Amino acid sequence: MTNYKEFFKNNLDNLKNEGNYRIFADLEKQAGNFPLALNYKENSVSEVTVWCSNDYLGMSQNKVVLESMNEALKKVGAGSGGTRNISGTNHYHVLLERELCYLHQKESALLFNSGYLANQATLSTLGKKLPDCIFFSDEKNHASMIQGIKNSGAKKVIFKHNDLEDLERNLIKFSKVKSKIIAFESVYSMDGDFSPIKEIAQLANKYNALTFLDEVHAVGIYGKRGAGVAERDGVMDKVDIIQGTLAKAFGVIGGYITGKKETIDFIRSFSSGFIFTTSLPPCIAAGAYTSIRHLKFSSIEREKLLKVVKELKSNLNKNDIPFIDNDSHIVPVIIGDPLLCKKASQILLDDFQIYVQPINFPTVPKGKERLRITASPQHNSKMIKNLVEALSCVFKNLNINKAA
């Protein structure tokens, strides 16, 4: 007979011993004062600088976004009251989906409650419904994409990360399969590297495959209007389904897919993850709509972000702090050991009032543990100086190998 309590405890103890047990910092963001936050402990409260937020452009604090959310909240109330099919489609949802079509220059768009759900529900539905379907999935795809493919029950082939030759070898191998989907990301969140979207789309066209592109870490930041890397590279029209999030650079919550009318209507009509989920609160949709509109016409935020990132990387280099530089806004500082990574994070928080969450296995491979640093337009030179000096002290005190 299973002793459930003991089973759970033993597994949790193993996580703790490996350094992979997650502890959540109790933070309270300060409206109008991002990236500063209050850190609540048992007997104290202190102000910290956050260096790991996915609120890449600080849009969760943007005045026009907050004003639109407050206005919608007063106008229609808090919750949506139901699924999209049963009273849960508010005009704010319709406006937002229309704006997402304009953003990605697609015929149709569909909202989900998170980017995870958008990936999981869409890929699962496609894999289940398309005849004789096979997925070609990049080996570094997000967990939500992996789960969606797994839940579909369809066959999958994992190709080497960003490896066009390996992808084509597999496409040739399964060229006679009726339905093929290539699933990949534009910016990979842990290393910050870009995918060759144009070349993958060309292979998809050559072998009659659909392309599913996750742009969650790119929307708002890249492209002239913030539509992502596909816009920056001029290949949005070459991608069949673009998936994005409203929870990162756009500063609120939610996910979405965009594509041809029939494709999106198919997901809307057959995806249980969409059909049976209460829709986003209208005030969230209003805030996302305003954020997207603002960033379509304002390049100030993303220009300043990239300027801060450049200054940060320059200072890290000057102080010999090892990090992966793939020319994106994501800056992974490599530690290479789970226990040291956790200790480094805790010292930064306790001694320097700097919050950077440790990233350990299974999010990254063992031996690749890191502090995933993300900047914002609101970080200043003093904050950068404090961070780099603190990292230098931590590396020295913990005797972390800078060649990790």
Side-chain angles (χ1 to χ4, degrees):
M1 299 290 287
T2 299
N3 183 323
Y4 299 108
K5 181 178 180 180
E6 185 176 335
F7 174 83
F8 297 141
K9 184 180 184 301
N10 288 341
N11 277 270
L12 290 171
D13 287 343
N14 287 338
L15 277 180
K16 292 174 182 177
N17 292 334
E18 293 167 356
N20 294 325
Y21 181 73
R22 291 173 170 85
I23 296 175
F24 301 151
D26 184 358
L27 301 177
E28 183 178 282
K29 293 168 71 177
Q30 300 180 49
N33 211 19
F34 183 80
L36 299 179
L38 296 179
N39 178 36
Y40 285 84
K41 297 181 181 179
E42 287 186 7
N43 301 310
S44 65
V45 180
S46 59
E47 188 175 72
V48 299
T49 303
V50 178
W51 274 103
C52 58
S53 174
N54 285 338
D55 186 7
Y56 294 132
L57 300 176
M59 291 302 291
S60 70
Q61 310 284 297
N62 186 280
K63 289 183 180 180
V64 295
V65 173
L66 298 180
E67 286 170 2
S68 70
M69 292 180 73
N70 282 325
E71 181 183 341
L73 189 62
K74 291 175 183 176
K75 186 176 181 180
V76 301
S80 65
T83 64
R84 290 290 297 273
N85 186 52
I86 305 176
S87 81
T89 295
N90 191 279
H91 190 53
Y92 288 107
H93 298 113
V94 177
L95 289 175
L96 176 53
E97 286 176 338
R98 190 180 301 164
E99 188 59 36
L100 289 166
C101 292
Y102 298 150
L103 179 68
H104 293 289
Q105 297 176 4
K106 298 294 184 184
E107 294 176 357
S108 189
L110 190 66
L111 279 173
F112 289 85
N113 286 25
S114 71
Y116 189 106
L117 183 58
N119 273 338
Q120 191 275 332
T122 303
L123 293 172
S124 176
T125 302
L126 291 171
K128 285 178 182 177
K129 294 292 185 180
L130 283 170
D132 190 26
C133 183
I134 183 169
F135 285 99
F136 299 86
S137 177
D138 189 287
E139 66 178 341
K140 290 192 176 182
N141 276 343
H142 189 264
S144 57
M145 301 172 77
I146 295 169
Q147 194 63 47
I149 293 169
K150 183 178 180 180
N151 288 353
S152 77
K155 182 177 176 60
K156 68 175 178 181
V157 171
I158 299 172
F159 64 91
K160 295 176 184 177
H161 180 54
N162 281 346
D163 190 325
L164 295 169
E165 290 184 0
D166 190 44
L167 173 58
E168 184 163 24
R169 275 194 298 269
N170 283 295
L171 286 167
I172 293 171
K173 184 178 179 181
F174 295 97
S175 59
K176 293 183 180 180
V177 173
K178 288 182 180 179
S179 306
K180 297 178 280 291
I181 302 171
I182 304 173
F184 62 111
E185 302 180 37
S186 62
V187 180
Y188 287 85
S189 63
M190 288 300 113
D191 288 344
D193 55 331
F194 297 98
S195 64
I197 301 174
K198 179 181 178 181
E199 290 78 6
I200 290 176
Q202 287 173 341
L203 287 175
N205 183 62
K206 183 178 179 180
Y207 295 98
N208 191 35
L210 288 174
T211 44
F212 182 96
L213 175 64
D214 178 316
E215 286 259 39
V216 297
H217 290 277
V219 289
I221 301 172
Y222 300 98
K224 186 177 179 181
R225 301 169 307 119
V229 180
E231 181 188 39
R232 183 197 70 177
D233 295 350
V235 292
M236 280 198 297
D237 61 325
K238 306 299 181 184
V239 179
D240 294 299
I241 302 173
I242 293 178
Q243 181 268 349
T245 186
L246 306 169
K248 294 180 171 60
F250 292 133
V252 283
I253 187 70
Y256 62 88
I257 57 171
T258 64
K260 290 183 178 179
K261 182 179 179 181
E262 293 80 10
T263 305
I264 304 306
D265 196 14
F266 181 87
I267 301 301
R268 183 190 72 86
S269 301
F270 288 102
S271 171
S272 61
F274 172 80
I275 295 169
F276 298 106
T277 300
T278 298
S279 62
L280 287 169
C283 63
I284 298 295
Y289 171 84
T290 302
S291 182
I292 292 167
R293 293 281 299 174
H294 177 84
L295 291 172
K296 270 177 66 175
F297 300 105
S298 172
S299 61
I300 295 172
E301 291 81 4
R302 46 184 165 266
E303 287 174 0
K304 191 170 182 183
L305 167 65
L306 297 178
K307 183 179 179 181
V308 171
V309 169
K310 184 178 180 180
E311 184 179 349
L312 170 62
K313 289 179 178 179
S314 175
N315 277 266
L316 289 171
N317 278 322
K318 288 176 183 177
N319 287 270
D320 297 321
I321 303 295
F323 69 97
I324 301 173
D325 188 1
N326 282 312
D327 295 324
S328 75
H329 61 289
I330 297 168
V331 185
V333 171
I334 303 302
I335 303 295
D337 179 274
L339 293 172
L340 285 178
C341 193
K342 191 172 182 179
K343 284 182 181 178
S345 173
Q346 198 62 50
I347 292 171
L348 286 171
L349 185 61
D350 293 341
D351 296 350
F352 298 96
Q353 292 74 53
I354 291 172
Y355 175 57
V356 186
Q357 185 70 10
I359 305 294
N360 292 346
F361 180 82
T363 307
V364 295
K366 291 181 179 180
K368 300 293 183 180
E369 293 80 8
R370 65 197 61 187
L371 299 173
R372 178 183 177 274
I373 294 172
T374 53
S376 75
Q378 290 77 23
H379 285 90
N380 57 41
S381 296
K382 182 179 179 181
M383 292 174 180
I384 293 172
K385 183 172 181 272
N386 290 342
L387 171 65
V388 175
E389 287 179 352
L391 284 170
S392 295
C393 288
V394 167
F395 267 72
K396 182 179 180 181
N397 292 341
L398 292 181
N399 196 28
I400 296 173
N401 181 9
K402 288 190 176 183

